[in-house]
Amino acid sequence: MIAEGHAPSIAKDKEGRVHIAYCLGDSIMYTVSADQGKSFSAPVLISVLPGLASVNSRGPQIGVSGLGITVIAGNKKGDIYSFEKSGSGIWKKTARVNDRDSSSREGLMALGGDGNTLYAVWLDLRDGHNRIYGAASADGGESWSKNGLVYASPDSTVCECCKPSVAVRGNQVFVMFRNLIGGNRDLYLIQSNDGGKVFGQAAKLGNGSWALNGCPMDGGALVINQNGNPETVWRRRNKIYSCEPGKPEQEIAEGRSCSMESMNGRNVYVWAEKGKVISMLSSDKKQTIGEGSFPVIKAINKEQVICVWENEKRIHSAVLSL
């Protein structure tokens, strides 16, 4: 066990340190590992955010840029704030990310970074319907750009309770989200080539569809592989699929709350299934790594990944070798 708490998110910096942000009541907490996940520092308080959104994939999101470590978190009122870790290790609240009051009332958001660029995305209700909005920061979260519309569904709303994903590589920003078109709640991918200023057309992932009168509360995960191409993993009904854009989806397993990492030309997956956290390191290497839910995963070197998850309001981790 790493600490008391829940809703962890994870990032790794260029020096190989593993950073985790998570919730403890209304407190945003932080811990770091300097030894590739073998041990973690004593947790420190980033900030207390009254009404902190923290259930069903909500919670603080942590990102790394060339300027340091940044966390964003939302409250139940619908505002997102950013927090920055100084060189001396002190956390400070820096800015509000959404530029319209109470527009992020779903509390579902994601943060990605590369170089000096950070990009945040979230479900936004400023126009009366859930749409995907985003904002960029070039100063480590000290300030954020004017919010931009990433995507609006032609059927008025995207899926109302599924967390979006974002991945950044240079000026490329990829955003994945669960859409709602014609009653189908399918995953879509959209891309910007200018740091998030302008996005292209959204494309559906996979060939199948999920007609559902309700929200699955499960948004999947997105990474960029070593060739600079996006890779995705997501749930449809009770099955988990991996999918490269423009190709048919591939069934992995039964389960939910999936996450992934791409390293050395191969993908690694984790998910929750019947109260267990399961990893798939290769097609013939599937294993149970603990009890719990909402796992997230990050490469820590060329041969190992670290998985972090929650169970009974405690944060757990495991280092897995490929």
Side-chain angles (χ1 to χ4, degrees):
M1 184 189 79
I2 295 175
E4 301 284 342
H6 66 288
S9 64
I10 187 170
K12 188 190 74 170
D13 63 29
K14 61 182 180 181
E15 284 78 30
R17 293 182 291 259
V18 179
H19 306 266
I20 297 175
Y22 61 96
C23 303
L24 185 62
D26 283 345
S27 297
I28 306 168
M29 305 298 294
Y30 166 81
T31 182
V32 60
S33 172
D35 56 8
Q36 299 189 322
K38 296 175 184 176
S39 63
F40 283 84
S41 65
V44 299
L45 175 68
I46 294 176
S47 182
V48 175
L49 187 60
L52 177 63
S54 63
V55 298
N56 292 329
S57 299
R58 297 168 178 87
Q61 303 295 301
I62 192 165
V64 175
S65 71
L67 300 172
I69 313 301
T70 303
V71 168
I72 62 170
N75 59 21
K76 294 176 182 176
K77 181 181 176 182
D79 291 321
I80 305 170
Y81 296 95
S82 61
F83 306 85
E84 180 186 32
K85 185 172 180 280
S86 70
S88 61
I90 304 300
W91 285 91
K92 67 174 182 176
K93 187 177 181 179
T94 53
R96 198 176 80 178
V97 182
N98 58 315
D99 58 16
R100 183 73 65 88
D101 290 347
S102 305
S103 63
S104 178
R105 293 191 294 278
E106 296 294 348
L108 291 158
M109 66 199 73
L111 179 65
D114 185 51
N116 288 343
T117 301
L118 292 166
Y119 199 83
V121 296
W122 63 92
L123 268 64
D124 194 287
L125 282 160
R126 70 184 64 196
D127 299 314
H129 301 285
N130 270 304
R131 296 175 174 176
I132 307 297
Y133 267 77
S137 176
D139 54 15
E142 285 279 347
S143 63
W144 294 86
S145 67
K146 177 179 173 59
N147 296 174
L149 176 65
V150 175
Y151 178 83
S153 171
D155 279 8
S156 77
T157 184
V158 297
C159 196
E160 304 93 334
C161 296
C162 285
K163 179 181 178 294
S165 300
V166 61
V168 180
R169 180 74 59 85
N171 286 326
Q172 290 188 307
V173 179
F174 296 93
V175 177
M176 186 179 74
F177 58 95
R178 192 180 292 277
N179 212 345
L180 176 54
I181 297 180
N184 292 319
R185 297 180 185 262
D186 301 319
L187 276 297
Y188 278 65
L189 186 72
I190 194 167
Q191 177 181 347
S192 169
N193 294 316
D194 60 3
K197 296 181 178 68
V198 177
F199 282 85
Q201 295 294 313
K204 179 179 172 294
L205 292 166
N207 294 333
S209 287
W210 188 4
L212 180 66
N213 184 22
C215 184
M217 295 184 286
D218 202 336
L222 161 70
V223 298
I224 301 173
N225 66 23
Q226 63 183 8
N227 297 320
N229 299 318
E231 303 267 4
T232 71
V233 64
W234 35 268
R235 170 186 164 216
R236 186 171 67 222
R237 298 182 176 88
N238 64 335
K239 300 289 182 65
I240 293 172
Y241 298 88
S242 65
C243 187
E244 296 180 46
K247 296 183 179 181
E249 64 272 48
Q250 302 294 319
E251 182 181 330
I252 293 176
E254 293 189 1
R256 60 177 302 145
S257 302
C258 46
S259 183
M260 72 175 294
E261 178 63 293
S262 180
M263 54 191 296
N264 300 333
R266 61 196 288 189
N267 295 333
V268 179
Y269 306 97
V270 293
W271 65 90
E273 180 182 348
K274 298 178 181 179
K276 306 288 187 182
V277 175
I278 313 296
S279 70
M280 181 175 169
L281 306 181
S282 64
S283 59
D284 60 351
K285 194 173 182 182
K286 191 182 298 184
Q287 63 185 27
T288 299
I289 57 177
E291 296 183 351
S293 58
F294 300 107
V296 290
I297 191 169
K298 185 65 65 175
I300 52 178
N301 54 48
K302 292 183 178 181
E303 298 297 332
Q304 292 179 310
V305 294
I306 183 169
C307 180
V308 178
W309 69 94
E310 66 174 72
N311 185 44
E312 297 182 347
K313 303 296 183 181
R314 294 178 177 179
I315 308 295
H316 298 266
S317 70
V319 175
L320 309 174
S321 298
L322 302 188

